[in-house]
Amino acid sequence: MTTEDQRWRDPHSTGEPDEHGRTAGQTAARGVRATARGTVAAARGIGRFSRFAARQARRAADAEGAGESGLNRLIEMHAFNTAGDAAVAISLAGSLFFQVPSADGSSSRESVALFLALTMLPFAIVAPLLGPLLDRIAHGRRWAIGATMAMRAFLCWVLAGALPDQSPAMFPAALGVLVCSKAYGVTRAAAVPRLLPRDFTLVKGNGRVSMAGIVGVALCAPIAGLASLAGPEWVLRWAFVLFVIATIGAIRLPAAVDSSAGEGTVTMFSTEEIQLKPGLVRMPASVSYALRANCAPKWLYGFMLMFMAFLLQEKPISGWSPTLLLGVVAGSAGVGNFLGVTAASLLRRIRPAVTVSAVLVLDVAVTLATALLYSIPLLAALGLATGLGSALAKFSLDASIQQHIPARNHASAFARSDTTLQLAWVVGGFVGIALPLNARLGLGVACAVITAWAVYVLASRPGARRTSAPSVAGA
């Protein structure tokens, strides 16, 4: 029998029926139909869950007077914004901006160092340029917020066309998305105080908005995951849709966002002093203290992620895989951040000065314990404390700025504070990738740095010294 005859007699390569009476073509068709039905069923399930969760989220957004004050609209818009940012991050995973460090030695460390440097570029633009510009258009905050959304929608569409071919347009488009994202954070933070319900504190309001971002990511990430099956460019097109919806939400924000009521007045400044220095505003001692205190958890966060990423891959704890260990550290940090956001959104009152001081002490204690008794439970505790402390400290700083800095200077204040904290994160990351891969040595250095900084910050807290030189923030 010839090969041709064998091929024609093979039921898997011809139209002959198999033992179940089906031809190969019929079997393939049934498989395709089953796959299609499964995909449609999964999409319907995700859709039903998303609609149910969206209704519950909207009900929560309207609670406690947020519907009457207009804060609910900012909450809903922020959910779409954060979901869009998450979709962009998913689409760019594995590119230059999101390389995962490997155990290849110096080459991977150079790539991570380049990534850390690139993260500073958006802040280098936002702080000196966009911050003062946004201050000058305070009466058009809604349009400023909407512009950051619309620009990201446009750039996501451009990036979707550039990403598959790794076009040179990919890099400026990705950088533009990051810059607009940071500019949005500045304008959004400046708008929150004008939409607070009567019984809301600033910390609680900021926490409620951030919680909406987590919900938005949870609802839209499954759709981004399905889109990624067709390619990263389709995830970017999904981000385009999310940013378009967020742009409409920004335009629909209440007119109170643009209100000038109360601008330029703050109890600790005299009107004459502000008029004598219209381009310069003294940073209140409480804000300066909160900013200095925030540098410690941010530095520790950057150090922990970078140092542990290399250490656990090259020298994992006996009996544990590097991937699982990295998951424990990163997952604990994520849980800590979630708990911090939840606490800020639910607690009725948080004192910013007390909170940042407690975070400093917690970071020192957990870092010291991990350095002395290096183990998996303490690594998880370090990640949890770092995420929790970073979230609570940042909410406290935002509340201090919103309360003590004149409204007309909010954008510059937030831009400069965010730049300072990002610099602390980057410096911590650089230290993490520069140190030898020895657990006790690296964590000992981190403990020494955090302890020294905590002593300096606590010694310079408001009221600790009778005389202190005030710091200045350019508007």
Side-chain angles (χ1 to χ4, degrees):
M1 183 181 296
T2 64
T3 304
E4 183 71 11
D5 293 335
Q6 290 177 348
R7 188 178 67 81
W8 282 107
R9 291 178 61 85
D10 186 357
H12 296 288
S13 60
T14 73
E16 287 189 30
D18 57 14
E19 61 271 17
H20 299 289
R22 296 190 296 266
T23 65
Q26 291 173 335
T27 302
R30 287 172 63 87
V32 171
R33 288 195 295 269
T35 302
R37 285 196 296 270
T39 303
V40 171
R44 288 176 178 172
I46 292 174
R48 285 195 294 269
F49 171 75
S50 298
R51 287 192 294 271
F52 170 77
R55 287 194 297 270
Q56 298 302 317
R58 176 166 292 183
R59 186 178 303 172
D62 294 340
E64 300 184 69
E68 291 77 10
S69 69
L71 182 64
N72 62 333
R73 294 189 182 182
L74 182 64
I75 288 174
E76 293 170 1
M77 180 203 68
H78 184 69
F80 284 104
N81 165 82
T82 310
D85 281 341
V88 172
I90 292 172
S91 68
L92 295 180
S95 72
L96 175 63
F97 295 92
F98 294 94
Q99 287 185 8
V100 178
S102 61
D104 295 336
S106 60
S107 61
S108 61
R109 293 196 179 202
E110 291 172 0
S111 298
V112 175
L114 176 60
F115 162 73
L116 291 173
L118 288 173
T119 60
M120 285 303 301
L121 286 178
F123 293 92
I125 297 173
V126 170
L129 301 179
L130 294 185
L133 176 63
L134 293 172
D135 282 333
R136 291 185 177 89
I137 57 172
H139 299 291
R141 290 189 187 96
R142 287 180 293 178
W143 295 101
I145 295 173
T148 65
M149 303 292 186
M151 283 297 297
R152 275 181 286 174
F154 169 74
L155 291 172
C156 282
W157 194 264
V158 173
L159 198 54
L163 191 61
D165 300 328
Q166 298 292 301
S167 167
M170 169 181 137
F171 298 99
L175 179 61
V177 171
L178 293 176
V179 170
C180 290
S181 179
K182 300 307 177 185
Y184 161 75
V186 171
T187 54
R188 188 263 301 171
V192 169
R194 305 201 171 280
L195 300 178
L196 284 180
R198 178 173 300 177
D199 296 330
F200 265 48
T201 63
L202 288 168
V203 173
K204 185 174 182 178
N206 290 327
R208 183 70 66 87
V209 174
S210 296
M211 179 61 70
I214 295 176
V215 174
V217 172
L219 295 180
C220 296
I223 301 176
L226 287 177
S228 67
L229 299 177
E233 64 272 18
W234 288 100
V235 184
L236 286 166
R237 292 185 177 108
W238 168 238
F240 165 81
V241 173
L242 292 171
F243 285 129
V244 168
I245 297 174
T247 302
I248 298 173
I251 297 173
R252 294 182 63 250
L253 287 174
V257 173
D258 293 332
S259 173
S260 61
E263 286 194 355
T265 60
V266 62
T267 56
M268 64 192 314
F269 296 137
S270 67
T271 306
E272 292 78 12
E273 181 180 10
I274 296 176
Q275 289 176 347
L276 287 173
K277 300 181 179 181
L280 194 66
V281 175
R282 295 184 183 277
M283 183 178 289
S286 58
V287 177
S288 181
Y289 174 71
L291 179 57
R292 287 195 297 267
N294 263 264
C295 291
K298 277 295 182 181
W299 186 95
L300 183 60
Y301 209 127
F303 173 86
M304 181 191 69
L305 290 180
M306 298 303 165
F307 181 71
M308 290 301 170
F310 286 103
L311 174 68
L312 296 178
Q313 285 186 358
E314 186 167 323
K315 297 180 179 179
I317 296 177
S318 178
W320 292 75
S321 69
T323 302
L324 184 58
L325 289 171
L326 288 172
V328 169
V329 176
S332 299
V335 171
N337 183 75
F338 175 77
L339 292 177
V341 172
T342 303
S345 63
L346 296 180
L347 294 179
R348 183 169 294 274
R349 183 174 180 82
I350 296 179
R351 296 179 62 185
V354 175
T355 302
V356 295
S357 301
V359 167
L360 281 174
V361 175
L362 176 65
D363 284 345
V364 169
V366 176
T367 306
L368 177 61
T370 309
L372 296 176
L373 306 170
Y374 181 67
S375 63
I376 295 175
L378 284 174
L379 282 178
L382 178 63
L384 187 69
T386 303
L388 175 65
S390 181
L392 287 177
K394 183 61 168 67
F395 285 131
S396 300
L397 172 62
D398 289 349
S400 297
I401 292 175
Q402 291 164 342
Q403 183 176 0
H404 298 296
I405 297 290
R408 67 164 179 260
N409 299 107
H410 275 171
S412 290
F414 280 113
R416 293 180 182 278
S417 67
D418 287 352
T419 302
T420 301
L421 297 184
Q422 182 67 12
L423 181 60
W425 187 88
V426 168
V427 171
F430 274 124
V431 174
I433 64 177
L435 285 175
L437 296 181
N438 181 288
R440 297 187 186 278
L441 173 62
L443 291 171
V445 170
C447 181
V449 172
I450 294 297
T451 301
W453 187 256
V455 170
Y456 163 71
V457 171
L458 292 174
S460 62
R461 69 187 184 277
R465 294 181 300 179
R466 293 185 177 181
T467 60
S468 59
S471 56
V472 177

PDB file of all heavy atoms in Angstrom, residues 217-234:
ATOM      1  N   VAL A 217     -10.165  48.718  38.804  1.00  0.00           N
ATOM      2  CA  VAL A 217      -9.206  47.746  38.273  1.00  0.00           C
ATOM      3  C   VAL A 217      -9.764  46.337  38.367  1.00  0.00           C
ATOM      4  O   VAL A 217      -9.646  45.535  37.432  1.00  0.00           O
ATOM      5  CB  VAL A 217      -7.865  47.856  39.033  1.00  0.00           C
ATOM      6  CG1 VAL A 217      -6.926  46.730  38.627  1.00  0.00           C
ATOM      7  CG2 VAL A 217      -7.214  49.200  38.750  1.00  0.00           C
ATOM      8  N   ALA A 218     -10.399  46.007  39.505  1.00  0.00           N
ATOM      9  CA  ALA A 218     -10.939  44.662  39.686  1.00  0.00           C
ATOM     10  C   ALA A 218     -12.032  44.341  38.672  1.00  0.00           C
ATOM     11  O   ALA A 218     -12.147  43.209  38.205  1.00  0.00           O
ATOM     12  CB  ALA A 218     -11.480  44.516  41.108  1.00  0.00           C
ATOM     13  N   LEU A 219     -12.837  45.351  38.312  1.00  0.00           N
ATOM     14  CA  LEU A 219     -13.932  45.119  37.371  1.00  0.00           C
ATOM     15  C   LEU A 219     -13.454  45.057  35.926  1.00  0.00           C
ATOM     16  O   LEU A 219     -13.986  44.283  35.120  1.00  0.00           O
ATOM     17  CB  LEU A 219     -14.991  46.217  37.517  1.00  0.00           C
ATOM     18  CG  LEU A 219     -15.736  46.266  38.843  1.00  0.00           C
ATOM     19  CD1 LEU A 219     -16.749  47.400  38.835  1.00  0.00           C
ATOM     20  CD2 LEU A 219     -16.432  44.950  39.125  1.00  0.00           C
ATOM     21  N   CYS A 220     -12.478  45.870  35.579  1.00  0.00           N
ATOM     22  CA  CYS A 220     -12.074  45.986  34.175  1.00  0.00           C
ATOM     23  C   CYS A 220     -10.874  45.125  33.807  1.00  0.00           C
ATOM     24  O   CYS A 220     -10.624  44.900  32.618  1.00  0.00           O
ATOM     25  CB  CYS A 220     -11.764  47.447  33.841  1.00  0.00           C
ATOM     26  SG  CYS A 220     -13.186  48.546  33.976  1.00  0.00           S
ATOM     27  N   ALA A 221     -10.120  44.643  34.791  1.00  0.00           N
ATOM     28  CA  ALA A 221      -8.957  43.808  34.484  1.00  0.00           C
ATOM     29  C   ALA A 221      -9.332  42.526  33.748  1.00  0.00           C
ATOM     30  O   ALA A 221      -8.616  42.113  32.832  1.00  0.00           O
ATOM     31  CB  ALA A 221      -8.183  43.497  35.758  1.00  0.00           C
ATOM     32  N   PRO A 222     -10.449  41.830  34.119  1.00  0.00           N
ATOM     33  CA  PRO A 222     -10.806  40.643  33.343  1.00  0.00           C
ATOM     34  C   PRO A 222     -11.054  40.931  31.865  1.00  0.00           C
ATOM     35  O   PRO A 222     -10.688  40.130  30.998  1.00  0.00           O
ATOM     36  CB  PRO A 222     -12.085  40.146  34.037  1.00  0.00           C
ATOM     37  CG  PRO A 222     -11.993  40.670  35.428  1.00  0.00           C
ATOM     38  CD  PRO A 222     -11.322  41.998  35.294  1.00  0.00           C
ATOM     39  N   ILE A 223     -11.654  42.072  31.564  1.00  0.00           N
ATOM     40  CA  ILE A 223     -11.882  42.427  30.161  1.00  0.00           C
ATOM     41  C   ILE A 223     -10.554  42.691  29.466  1.00  0.00           C
ATOM     42  O   ILE A 223     -10.335  42.283  28.314  1.00  0.00           O
ATOM     43  CB  ILE A 223     -12.809  43.662  30.070  1.00  0.00           C
ATOM     44  CG1 ILE A 223     -14.145  43.363  30.747  1.00  0.00           C
ATOM     45  CG2 ILE A 223     -13.026  44.067  28.615  1.00  0.00           C
ATOM     46  CD1 ILE A 223     -15.080  44.545  30.794  1.00  0.00           C
ATOM     47  N   ALA A 224      -9.638  43.365  30.167  1.00  0.00           N
ATOM     48  CA  ALA A 224      -8.308  43.587  29.601  1.00  0.00           C
ATOM     49  C   ALA A 224      -7.589  42.263  29.377  1.00  0.00           C
ATOM     50  O   ALA A 224      -6.866  42.092  28.390  1.00  0.00           O
ATOM     51  CB  ALA A 224      -7.486  44.488  30.524  1.00  0.00           C
ATOM     52  N   GLY A 225      -7.806  41.300  30.297  1.00  0.00           N
ATOM     53  CA  GLY A 225      -7.203  39.984  30.119  1.00  0.00           C
ATOM     54  C   GLY A 225      -7.723  39.274  28.890  1.00  0.00           C
ATOM     55  O   GLY A 225      -6.957  38.648  28.144  1.00  0.00           O
ATOM     56  N   LEU A 226      -9.039  39.353  28.643  1.00  0.00           N
ATOM     57  CA  LEU A 226      -9.604  38.754  27.430  1.00  0.00           C
ATOM     58  C   LEU A 226      -9.065  39.452  26.188  1.00  0.00           C
ATOM     59  O   LEU A 226      -8.745  38.795  25.187  1.00  0.00           O
ATOM     60  CB  LEU A 226     -11.133  38.838  27.466  1.00  0.00           C
ATOM     61  CG  LEU A 226     -11.853  37.895  28.429  1.00  0.00           C
ATOM     62  CD1 LEU A 226     -13.349  38.157  28.399  1.00  0.00           C
ATOM     63  CD2 LEU A 226     -11.569  36.433  28.068  1.00  0.00           C
ATOM     64  N   ALA A 227      -8.949  40.789  26.250  1.00  0.00           N
ATOM     65  CA  ALA A 227      -8.440  41.528  25.092  1.00  0.00           C
ATOM     66  C   ALA A 227      -6.993  41.173  24.799  1.00  0.00           C
ATOM     67  O   ALA A 227      -6.563  41.184  23.642  1.00  0.00           O
ATOM     68  CB  ALA A 227      -8.589  43.031  25.331  1.00  0.00           C
ATOM     69  N   SER A 228      -6.229  40.846  25.850  1.00  0.00           N
ATOM     70  CA  SER A 228      -4.813  40.511  25.637  1.00  0.00           C
ATOM     71  C   SER A 228      -4.640  39.234  24.836  1.00  0.00           C
ATOM     72  O   SER A 228      -3.582  39.008  24.242  1.00  0.00           O
ATOM     73  CB  SER A 228      -4.099  40.383  26.986  1.00  0.00           C
ATOM     74  OG  SER A 228      -4.592  39.259  27.707  1.00  0.00           O
ATOM     75  N   LEU A 229      -5.676  38.369  24.804  1.00  0.00           N
ATOM     76  CA  LEU A 229      -5.601  37.155  23.995  1.00  0.00           C
ATOM     77  C   LEU A 229      -5.504  37.488  22.511  1.00  0.00           C
ATOM     78  O   LEU A 229      -4.947  36.707  21.729  1.00  0.00           O
ATOM     79  CB  LEU A 229      -6.820  36.266  24.256  1.00  0.00           C
ATOM     80  CG  LEU A 229      -6.990  35.763  25.701  1.00  0.00           C
ATOM     81  CD1 LEU A 229      -8.269  34.958  25.828  1.00  0.00           C
ATOM     82  CD2 LEU A 229      -5.781  34.928  26.110  1.00  0.00           C
ATOM     83  N   ALA A 230      -6.056  38.635  22.119  1.00  0.00           N
ATOM     84  CA  ALA A 230      -5.990  39.069  20.720  1.00  0.00           C
ATOM     85  C   ALA A 230      -4.750  39.899  20.441  1.00  0.00           C
ATOM     86  O   ALA A 230      -4.474  40.226  19.283  1.00  0.00           O
ATOM     87  CB  ALA A 230      -7.242  39.866  20.354  1.00  0.00           C
ATOM     88  N   GLY A 231      -4.003  40.265  21.496  1.00  0.00           N
ATOM     89  CA  GLY A 231      -2.795  41.056  21.309  1.00  0.00           C
ATOM     90  C   GLY A 231      -2.795  42.284  22.193  1.00  0.00           C
ATOM     91  O   GLY A 231      -3.860  42.801  22.560  1.00  0.00           O
ATOM     92  N   PRO A 232      -1.605  42.788  22.558  1.00  0.00           N
ATOM     93  CA  PRO A 232      -1.532  43.957  23.448  1.00  0.00           C
ATOM     94  C   PRO A 232      -2.154  45.210  22.850  1.00  0.00           C
ATOM     95  O   PRO A 232      -2.601  46.090  23.582  1.00  0.00           O
ATOM     96  CB  PRO A 232      -0.026  44.130  23.674  1.00  0.00           C
ATOM     97  CG  PRO A 232       0.631  43.431  22.527  1.00  0.00           C
ATOM     98  CD  PRO A 232      -0.266  42.292  22.178  1.00  0.00           C
ATOM     99  N   GLU A 233      -2.186  45.287  21.517  1.00  0.00           N
ATOM    100  CA  GLU A 233      -2.780  46.480  20.913  1.00  0.00           C
ATOM    101  C   GLU A 233      -4.267  46.591  21.216  1.00  0.00           C
ATOM    102  O   GLU A 233      -4.819  47.697  21.295  1.00  0.00           O
ATOM    103  CB  GLU A 233      -2.534  46.497  19.402  1.00  0.00           C
ATOM    104  CG  GLU A 233      -3.189  45.374  18.637  1.00  0.00           C
ATOM    105  CD  GLU A 233      -2.324  44.131  18.559  1.00  0.00           C
ATOM    106  OE1 GLU A 233      -1.374  44.011  19.373  1.00  0.00           O
ATOM    107  OE2 GLU A 233      -2.598  43.272  17.691  1.00  0.00           O
ATOM    108  N   TRP A 234      -4.936  45.421  21.398  1.00  0.00           N
ATOM    109  CA  TRP A 234      -6.367  45.466  21.720  1.00  0.00           C
ATOM    110  C   TRP A 234      -6.588  45.866  23.172  1.00  0.00           C
ATOM    111  O   TRP A 234      -7.626  46.451  23.515  1.00  0.00           O
ATOM    112  CB  TRP A 234      -7.013  44.125  21.415  1.00  0.00           C
ATOM    113  CG  TRP A 234      -7.138  43.895  19.946  1.00  0.00           C
ATOM    114  CD1 TRP A 234      -6.336  43.143  19.155  1.00  0.00           C
ATOM    115  CD2 TRP A 234      -8.110  44.494  19.081  1.00  0.00           C
ATOM    116  NE1 TRP A 234      -6.739  43.218  17.842  1.00  0.00           N
ATOM    117  CE2 TRP A 234      -7.835  44.040  17.769  1.00  0.00           C
ATOM    118  CE3 TRP A 234      -9.184  45.353  19.285  1.00  0.00           C
ATOM    119  CZ2 TRP A 234      -8.595  44.423  16.676  1.00  0.00           C
ATOM    120  CZ3 TRP A 234      -9.942  45.732  18.183  1.00  0.00           C
ATOM    121  CH2 TRP A 234      -9.648  45.270  16.904  1.00  0.00           C
TER     122      TRP A 234
END
